[in-house]
Tab-separated table of all heavy atoms in Angstrom:
chain	number	residue	atom	x	y	z
A	10	PRO	N	1.543	-2.955	7.281
A	10	PRO	CA	0.790	-3.892	6.450
A	10	PRO	C	-0.472	-4.195	7.205
A	10	PRO	O	-0.414	-4.365	8.433
A	10	PRO	CB	1.689	-5.160	6.405
A	10	PRO	CG	3.042	-4.654	6.769
A	10	PRO	CD	2.945	-3.450	7.602
A	31	SER	N	-0.243	0.987	-6.475
A	31	SER	CA	0.155	0.119	-5.384
A	31	SER	C	1.439	-0.641	-5.815
A	31	SER	O	1.329	-1.428	-6.715
A	31	SER	CB	-0.988	-0.859	-5.091
A	31	SER	OG	-0.360	-2.092	-4.482
A	32	THR	N	2.595	-0.326	-5.231
A	32	THR	CA	3.718	-1.022	-5.570
A	32	THR	C	3.626	-2.532	-5.372
A	32	THR	O	4.188	-3.312	-6.068
A	32	THR	CB	5.028	-0.413	-4.912
A	32	THR	OG1	4.771	-0.205	-3.567
A	32	THR	CG2	5.374	0.882	-5.589
A	33	GLY	N	2.973	-2.893	-4.234
A	33	GLY	CA	2.760	-4.306	-3.927
A	33	GLY	C	2.108	-4.982	-5.031
A	33	GLY	O	2.539	-6.098	-5.523
A	34	LYS	N	1.011	-4.352	-5.559
A	34	LYS	CA	0.258	-4.995	-6.639
A	34	LYS	C	1.108	-5.078	-7.963
A	34	LYS	O	1.148	-6.068	-8.648
A	34	LYS	CB	-1.014	-4.142	-6.896
A	34	LYS	CG	-1.764	-4.365	-8.131
A	34	LYS	CD	-3.021	-5.155	-7.920
A	34	LYS	CE	-3.891	-5.492	-9.112
A	34	LYS	NZ	-3.175	-5.796	-10.365
A	36	ILE	N	4.290	-5.204	-8.153
A	36	ILE	CA	5.324	-6.201	-7.950
A	36	ILE	C	4.729	-7.643	-8.054
A	36	ILE	O	5.376	-8.547	-8.699
A	36	ILE	CB	6.058	-6.061	-6.623
A	36	ILE	CG1	6.875	-4.694	-6.706
A	36	ILE	CG2	7.008	-7.167	-6.305
A	36	ILE	CD1	7.319	-4.190	-5.352
A	37	ARG	N	3.546	-7.824	-7.531
A	37	ARG	CA	2.934	-9.163	-7.581
A	37	ARG	C	2.616	-9.520	-9.069
A	37	ARG	O	2.740	-10.620	-9.483
A	37	ARG	CB	1.649	-9.260	-6.789
A	37	ARG	CG	1.954	-9.500	-5.291
A	37	ARG	CD	0.721	-9.753	-4.494
A	37	ARG	NE	-0.124	-8.567	-4.287
A	37	ARG	CZ	0.006	-7.586	-3.450
A	37	ARG	NH1	1.107	-7.646	-2.625
A	37	ARG	NH2	-0.804	-6.540	-3.346
A	53	PHE	N	12.100	-12.404	-2.128
A	53	PHE	CA	12.048	-11.260	-1.274
A	53	PHE	C	10.629	-11.113	-0.750
A	53	PHE	O	10.331	-10.981	0.428
A	53	PHE	CB	12.578	-10.098	-1.816
A	53	PHE	CG	14.078	-10.004	-2.071
A	53	PHE	CD1	14.669	-10.383	-3.199
A	53	PHE	CD2	14.890	-9.518	-1.012
A	53	PHE	CE1	15.965	-10.418	-3.364
A	53	PHE	CE2	16.247	-9.527	-1.176
A	53	PHE	CZ	16.863	-9.945	-2.279
A	54	VAL	N	9.689	-11.055	-1.703
A	54	VAL	CA	8.351	-10.773	-1.389
A	54	VAL	C	7.754	-11.863	-0.557
A	54	VAL	O	7.004	-11.680	0.406
A	54	VAL	CB	7.476	-10.565	-2.730
A	54	VAL	CG1	6.094	-10.350	-2.368
A	54	VAL	CG2	8.061	-9.280	-3.501
A	57	GLY	N	8.626	-11.632	3.032
A	57	GLY	CA	8.266	-10.372	3.608
A	57	GLY	C	9.384	-9.340	3.688
A	57	GLY	O	9.387	-8.364	4.487
A	58	GLU	N	10.451	-9.539	2.848
A	58	GLU	CA	11.564	-8.569	2.809
A	58	GLU	C	11.141	-7.497	1.711
A	58	GLU	O	10.442	-7.733	0.848
A	58	GLU	CB	12.811	-9.225	2.323
A	58	GLU	CG	13.263	-10.466	3.050
A	58	GLU	CD	13.938	-10.076	4.403
A	58	GLU	OE1	14.409	-8.923	4.496
A	58	GLU	OE2	14.005	-10.931	5.292
A	59	LEU	N	11.802	-6.314	1.912
A	59	LEU	CA	11.616	-5.326	0.853
A	59	LEU	C	12.531	-5.661	-0.318
A	59	LEU	O	13.572	-6.242	-0.206
A	59	LEU	CB	12.069	-3.937	1.380
A	59	LEU	CG	11.216	-3.427	2.526
A	59	LEU	CD1	11.682	-1.939	2.826
A	59	LEU	CD2	9.762	-3.322	2.188
A	60	ILE	N	12.020	-5.254	-1.496
A	60	ILE	CA	12.835	-5.453	-2.723
A	60	ILE	C	13.763	-4.135	-2.813
A	60	ILE	O	13.477	-3.107	-2.175
A	60	ILE	CB	12.088	-5.675	-3.985
A	60	ILE	CG1	11.291	-4.529	-4.405
A	60	ILE	CG2	11.213	-6.902	-3.733
A	60	ILE	CD1	10.719	-4.797	-5.829
A	65	VAL	N	12.514	-0.728	-7.209
A	65	VAL	CA	11.171	-0.204	-7.009
A	65	VAL	C	11.014	1.283	-7.374
A	65	VAL	O	10.062	1.816	-7.910
A	65	VAL	CB	10.736	-0.482	-5.537
A	65	VAL	CG1	11.301	0.465	-4.523
A	65	VAL	CG2	9.265	-0.504	-5.337
A	85	ASP	N	0.123	3.696	-2.654
A	85	ASP	CA	-0.093	2.723	-1.612
A	85	ASP	C	1.156	1.798	-1.507
A	85	ASP	O	1.377	1.033	-2.421
A	85	ASP	CB	-1.358	1.944	-1.951
A	85	ASP	CG	-1.451	0.575	-1.181
A	85	ASP	OD1	-0.742	0.368	-0.263
A	85	ASP	OD2	-2.268	-0.236	-1.688
A	86	GLY	N	1.917	1.944	-0.451
A	86	GLY	CA	3.090	1.122	-0.289
A	86	GLY	C	4.373	1.648	-0.810
A	86	GLY	O	5.402	1.005	-0.888
A	87	PHE	N	4.410	2.953	-1.140
A	87	PHE	CA	5.584	3.699	-1.447
A	87	PHE	C	5.485	5.100	-1.062
A	87	PHE	O	4.428	5.713	-1.166
A	87	PHE	CB	5.725	3.646	-3.013
A	87	PHE	CG	7.011	4.243	-3.485
A	87	PHE	CD1	8.075	3.337	-3.799
A	87	PHE	CD2	7.342	5.537	-3.588
A	87	PHE	CE1	9.355	3.780	-4.256
A	87	PHE	CE2	8.510	6.057	-4.000
A	87	PHE	CZ	9.517	5.185	-4.344
A	88	PRO	N	6.514	5.670	-0.402
A	88	PRO	CA	7.817	5.124	-0.086
A	88	PRO	C	7.790	4.245	1.141
A	88	PRO	O	7.030	4.400	2.096
A	88	PRO	CB	8.658	6.346	0.156
A	88	PRO	CG	7.724	7.369	0.695
A	88	PRO	CD	6.431	7.095	-0.027
A	89	ARG	N	8.687	3.258	1.157
A	89	ARG	CA	8.865	2.367	2.283
A	89	ARG	C	10.218	2.501	3.005
A	89	ARG	O	10.396	1.939	4.036
A	89	ARG	CB	8.882	0.873	1.806
A	89	ARG	CG	7.597	0.302	1.278
A	89	ARG	CD	6.840	-0.295	2.541
A	89	ARG	NE	6.326	-1.608	2.383
A	89	ARG	CZ	5.333	-2.052	1.667
A	89	ARG	NH1	4.616	-1.182	0.916
A	89	ARG	NH2	4.926	-3.320	1.611
A	93	GLN	N	13.735	6.015	-0.509
A	93	GLN	CA	12.624	6.046	-1.564
A	93	GLN	C	11.945	7.376	-1.480
A	93	GLN	O	11.621	8.024	-2.505
A	93	GLN	CB	11.645	4.916	-1.387
A	93	GLN	CG	12.202	3.584	-1.631
A	93	GLN	CD	11.243	2.445	-1.388
A	93	GLN	OE1	10.028	2.701	-1.231
A	93	GLN	NE2	11.690	1.183	-1.417
A	157	ARG	N	-2.611	-14.426	0.157
A	157	ARG	CA	-1.418	-13.891	-0.454
A	157	ARG	C	-0.221	-14.725	0.072
A	157	ARG	O	-0.210	-15.158	1.216
A	157	ARG	CB	-1.183	-12.459	0.007
A	157	ARG	CG	-1.579	-11.434	-1.006
A	157	ARG	CD	-1.548	-10.048	-0.499
A	157	ARG	NE	-0.277	-9.637	-0.007
A	157	ARG	CZ	-0.016	-8.398	0.268
A	157	ARG	NH1	-0.826	-7.381	0.080
A	157	ARG	NH2	1.255	-8.070	0.779
A	159	ASP	N	2.608	-13.856	1.013
A	159	ASP	CA	3.315	-13.366	2.265
A	159	ASP	C	2.309	-13.161	3.429
A	159	ASP	O	2.722	-12.478	4.437
A	159	ASP	CB	4.037	-12.078	1.856
A	159	ASP	CG	3.139	-10.998	1.236
A	159	ASP	OD1	1.965	-11.293	0.932
A	159	ASP	OD2	3.583	-9.875	1.033
A	168	ARG	N	7.465	-8.576	7.939
A	168	ARG	CA	6.989	-7.324	7.335
A	168	ARG	C	6.747	-6.287	8.461
A	168	ARG	O	7.010	-5.047	8.263
A	168	ARG	CB	5.666	-7.593	6.580
A	168	ARG	CG	5.969	-8.303	5.267
A	168	ARG	CD	4.761	-9.070	4.729
A	168	ARG	NE	3.608	-8.361	4.442
A	168	ARG	CZ	2.385	-8.732	4.473
A	168	ARG	NH1	2.068	-10.029	4.820
A	168	ARG	NH2	1.315	-8.026	4.062
B	301	AMP	P1	2.245	-4.614	-0.023
B	301	AMP	O1	1.235	-5.192	-1.009
B	301	AMP	O2	2.283	-3.096	-0.072
B	301	AMP	O3	2.145	-5.175	1.360
B	301	AMP	O4	3.627	-5.146	-0.576
B	301	AMP	C1	4.004	-6.519	-0.711
B	301	AMP	C2	5.475	-6.718	-0.854
B	301	AMP	O5	5.947	-6.079	-1.993
B	301	AMP	C3	6.385	-6.104	0.330
B	301	AMP	O6	6.387	-6.919	1.396
B	301	AMP	C4	7.709	-6.050	-0.432
B	301	AMP	O7	8.263	-7.259	-0.592
B	301	AMP	C5	7.263	-5.520	-1.848
B	301	AMP	N1	7.178	-4.059	-1.889
B	301	AMP	C6	6.015	-3.336	-2.078
B	301	AMP	N2	6.326	-2.012	-2.000
B	301	AMP	C7	7.665	-1.884	-1.828
B	301	AMP	C8	8.480	-0.774	-1.687
B	301	AMP	N3	8.074	0.481	-1.795
B	301	AMP	N4	9.839	-1.047	-1.488
B	301	AMP	C9	10.297	-2.341	-1.400
B	301	AMP	N5	9.587	-3.411	-1.503
B	301	AMP	C10	8.202	-3.242	-1.753
Side-chain angles (χ1 to χ4, degrees):
S31 154
T32 45
K34 164 109 185 27
I36 292 165
R37 279 188 292 280
F53 287 91
V54 176
E58 305 280 342
L59 294 185
I60 71 170
V65 81
D85 159 16
F87 190 97
R89 285 276 232 285
Q93 292 178 12
R157 263 172 57 168
D159 56 351
R168 285 154 64 205

